[in-house]
Amino acid sequence: MEQATRRATIADVARAAGVSKAAVSFAFNTPERLSSDTVARIRDVASGLDYRPDPVARMLAQRRTWTVGILTPQALDVIFSNPYFGEFAAGVATAAEAAGLAVQFISPLHGSLARAVDRASVDGIIAVGLGADHPEIGQIRRSGIPYVLVDSTALPDEPAILVDDETGAHAAAAHLVNLGHRMFLVIGIEPPSAGAAAEPAWVTSRRLRGYRAAAADAGIAIQDDAVVLGPASMEGGIEAFHQAWAAGLRPTAVLAMSDAMAIGALRAARELGLRVPADLSIVGFDDLDVAQYTDPPLTTVHQPNREKGEEAVRLVTDGGPRRNPLEPAQHQFATHLVVRGSTAVVPPVRQEVPDDKA
Amino acid sequence: MEQATRRATIADVARAAGVSKAAVSFAFNTPERLSSDTVARIRDVASGLDYRPDPVARMLAQRRTWTVGILTPQALDVIFSNPYFGEFAAGVATAAEAAGLAVQFISPLHGSLARAVDRASVDGIIAVGLGADHPEIGQIRRSGIPYVLVDSTALPDEPAILVDDETGAHAAAAHLVNLGHRMFLVIGIEPPSAGAAAEPAWVTSRRLRGYRAAAADAGIAIQDDAVVLGPASMEGGIEAFHQAWAAGLRPTAVLAMSDAMAIGALRAARELGLRVPADLSIVGFDDLDVAQYTDPPLTTVHQPNREKGEEAVRLVTDGGPRRNPLEPAQHQFATHLVVRGSTAVVPPVRQEVPDDKA
DNA sequence: TTGTAAGCGTTATCAG
DNA sequence: CTGATAACGCTTACAA
């Protein structure tokens, strides 16, 4: 992976055009400072030499990289397996392009996120799903690079993108309660590090509070053993549902904290002979594009995945002129329930279903 | 997006530790060249000063960026909407991490791919879906940066990752023919640029050849008006199917060139009151993770999405020691049909279905 | 309008 | 084993 032949440098162009290096630089960056025919001549010579300014040298001189980094505590291959991330990244990419910024991914290098952060040459870091217990957040803070935390627990004065998890979760559970459901299974997202599980600010904790509040309104308690955790993927959802079923749980409704997991649960339920929504209702979270195309279409809590990405870029690039530096640069998006076909009134009598595990 | 306070430089550390800049560099990069207590002292001072080598300066001096770029002719937001890309990127990320490389995305900047390529500071470029008619490929070639073409038509001696589209497509169509189908709708991927549509090497052309060959074996001709093109997304699939239906086409089987489009077709068919596979069979292409979780699970042509990404990184990073420079650095993966639930024998008599459009 | 020269923060070369 | 010193390729005051 070496450069083949030595590329023309600014000095080569200057020499060939009989001007100074500065003139060449001007010809490309601020042509209005040069006479138009000088510019033309320089450009001509440059393209003849196949000259292209070295982006790295320019980064060093300008001390800007024109790049934003998306930081994830998980390896990229697991991250990309959840369509949620793709939608978020699409939002980042949109805003980045508008701002003339490149997008780089920062994920653990040889198992070390810290190393990856050190190697990353970016002007801003968008950290998604980084728990407050991750030491890297301190590292980033110290590095002086602007950053924004997404979907994680931030200090009140720290730039962050959040959504109203509790309200969304509450709406989801309330919907099921209204349909007569009383026996719930909650499928939650397991934290990247074991330590974060107990954190009250971890996303799973926040959503769980919303679920429980709505259930409590109807006098129902969601016990801890009706909450099962797994990775936020379809496989994770399948696994979680089967695990709960094997443990003897017989819910009439599932509250999944991610659409990917909800789709997995859908699949697992079908494998067990349960009809959705006749025998089992399922509510997801995220409102992914695919949620419209599952069968049945998924009832889920909407959050603006792409917009979150776009806003993250804005925040990390100083938020533009409208941002008041006195206010904390946090942005919380609203969530709302989208009712589709995966939820229905509770079955009056539970059907007999194949039950080889319990 | 500026650095907050001036970061400590190697010169600061050298001064504070009473050594030369070179010594500091050694302490981090080749500590074995220094006495162990010198290293310890330098490291100590460095961490006290919160010193971190500037990645950009190091890139310039080493003339390596330790970064691979994934280049796409489409904007990132549309690209990320197709899960196929996520799976491919996951593969790239896996191999990149193993090689200690960062991953950067290169997509049109302010509408110009050329500009984006110029600004990109990468050691290698993985170009996906770049038609042979794209001028950027010449630009890349000239730049001297190693590159590999994925899913596009390459010169025979050009590094490329390909799959056996024709065989896979043939298997898909043959499967349907064997089930008794005679009336097909082909849903193809529209090219990024209009010009590429006619290219015999464009992916849509390649797959279409496979479909047609299998049909021809049974004495069936797939007419041009039974082929409809759209963007490789779920929306694209919905659109395409409705368009065909509105045009009066009444296929018993759909051959979709991407799973995303197949899922869209599934959805559209259901909206029209068609049962899959009872009334309509659908075969996709890609074998995305989600293909297992649709209802019914999708019969599709498997291609190794993640492996393609991994191999692309290997090829662009010189392919390691095993590569013979005399052989063209091309890698063609095999494809095969995966039969799931979305295909069945042709309905003996077409059911009456709602038909408000034709 | 154009040129000169001093950085930018490393790594690499080559004496000591 | 250690330390000056010269690249690396470009931008940007400051001069002319």
Side-chain angles (χ1 to χ4, degrees), chain A residues 296-351:
Chain A
L298 201 60
T299 294
T300 188
V301 177
H302 176 86
Q303 62 164 325
N305 305 317
R306 289 185 173 76
E307 286 80 349
K308 283 167 72 180
E310 294 177 31
E311 186 61 26
V313 172
R314 268 179 230 118
L315 241 45
V316 88
T317 55
D318 275 345
R322 79 200 180 307
R323 195 182 120 212
N324 179 350
L326 295 178
E327 299 182 74
Q330 296 201 340
H331 196 308
Q332 166 149 308
F333 286 95
T335 55
H336 65 264
L337 185 69
V338 178
V339 178
R340 297 203 181 93
S342 65
T343 46
V345 290
V346 65
V349 179
R350 154 81 65 192
Q351 311 242 146

Side-chain angles (χ1 to χ4, degrees), chain A residues 145-345:
Chain A
I145 299 177
Y147 65 95
V148 52
L149 265 27
V150 180
D151 290 341
S152 57
T153 109
L155 267 46
D157 56 340
E158 225 165 14
I161 304 283
L162 301 164
V163 299
D164 190 351
D165 287 298
E166 216 162 322
T167 300
H170 189 286
H175 169 63
L176 292 173
V177 165
N178 289 340
L179 289 171
H181 292 275
R182 294 296 177 266
M183 298 168 64
F184 299 103
L185 168 65
V186 172
I187 297 183
I189 302 171
E190 84 188 358
S193 59
E199 267 184 51
W202 168 245
V203 57
T204 293
S205 313
R206 294 198 300 266
R207 293 180 185 172
L208 190 52
R209 269 201 300 280
Y211 292 154
R212 282 194 161 135
D217 290 349
I220 308 156
I222 296 177
Q223 307 294 345
D224 280 355
D225 59 6
V227 179
V228 30
L229 267 38
S233 63
M234 290 176 286
E235 288 75 10
I238 292 181
E239 176 87 10
F241 191 83
H242 277 140
Q243 184 186 320
W245 193 264
L249 264 51
R250 292 298 178 272
T252 65
V254 172
L255 288 158
M257 294 195 189
S258 109
D259 279 357
M261 298 185 87
I263 292 172
L266 206 55
R267 171 80 181 171
R270 187 148 313 168
E271 287 170 4
L272 291 167
L274 295 166
R275 292 165 308 164
V276 177
D279 302 322
L280 181 76
S281 286
I282 299 182
V283 183
F285 208 113
D286 288 344
D287 195 17
L288 300 180
D289 292 344
V290 281
Q292 308 175 46
Y293 306 120
T294 56
D295 183 62
L298 201 60
T299 294
T300 188
V301 177
H302 176 86
Q303 62 164 325
N305 305 317
R306 289 185 173 76
E307 286 80 349
K308 283 167 72 180
E310 294 177 31
E311 186 61 26
V313 172
R314 268 179 230 118
L315 241 45
V316 88
T317 55
D318 275 345
R322 79 200 180 307
R323 195 182 120 212
N324 179 350
L326 295 178
E327 299 182 74
Q330 296 201 340
H331 196 308
Q332 166 149 308
F333 286 95
T335 55
H336 65 264
L337 185 69
V338 178
V339 178
R340 297 203 181 93
S342 65
T343 46
V345 290

Side-chain angles (χ1 to χ4, degrees), chain B residues 25-37:
Chain B
S25 178
F26 287 150
F28 281 89
N29 301 316
T30 45
E32 60 276 12
R33 295 188 50 178
L34 257 42
S35 73
S36 54
D37 49 324

Side-chain angles (χ1 to χ4, degrees), chain B residues 200-241:
Chain B
W202 168 245
V203 58
T204 293
S205 313
R206 294 198 300 266
R207 293 181 186 172
L208 189 53
R209 269 201 299 280
Y211 292 153
R212 282 195 161 133
D217 290 348
I220 309 156
I222 298 177
Q223 308 294 344
D224 279 355
D225 59 7
V227 179
V228 30
L229 267 38
S233 63
M234 289 177 285
E235 288 76 8
I238 293 180
E239 176 87 9
F241 191 83

Side-chain angles (χ1 to χ4, degrees), chain B residues 252-322:
Chain B
T252 65
V254 172
L255 289 157
M257 295 195 188
S258 107
D259 279 357
M261 298 187 88
I263 293 171
L266 207 55
R267 170 80 181 169
R270 186 149 314 168
E271 286 170 3
L272 290 167
L274 296 166
R275 293 165 307 164
V276 177
D279 303 323
L280 182 75
S281 287
I282 300 182
V283 183
F285 207 112
D286 288 345
D287 196 16
L288 301 181
D289 292 344
V290 281
Q292 308 173 48
Y293 306 120
T294 55
D295 181 63
L298 201 61
T299 294
T300 188
V301 177
H302 175 87
Q303 61 164 324
N305 305 316
R306 289 184 173 76
E307 286 81 350
K308 283 166 72 180
E310 295 177 30
E311 185 63 24
V313 173
R314 268 178 231 120
L315 241 44
V316 89
T317 55
D318 274 345
R322 79 198 181 306

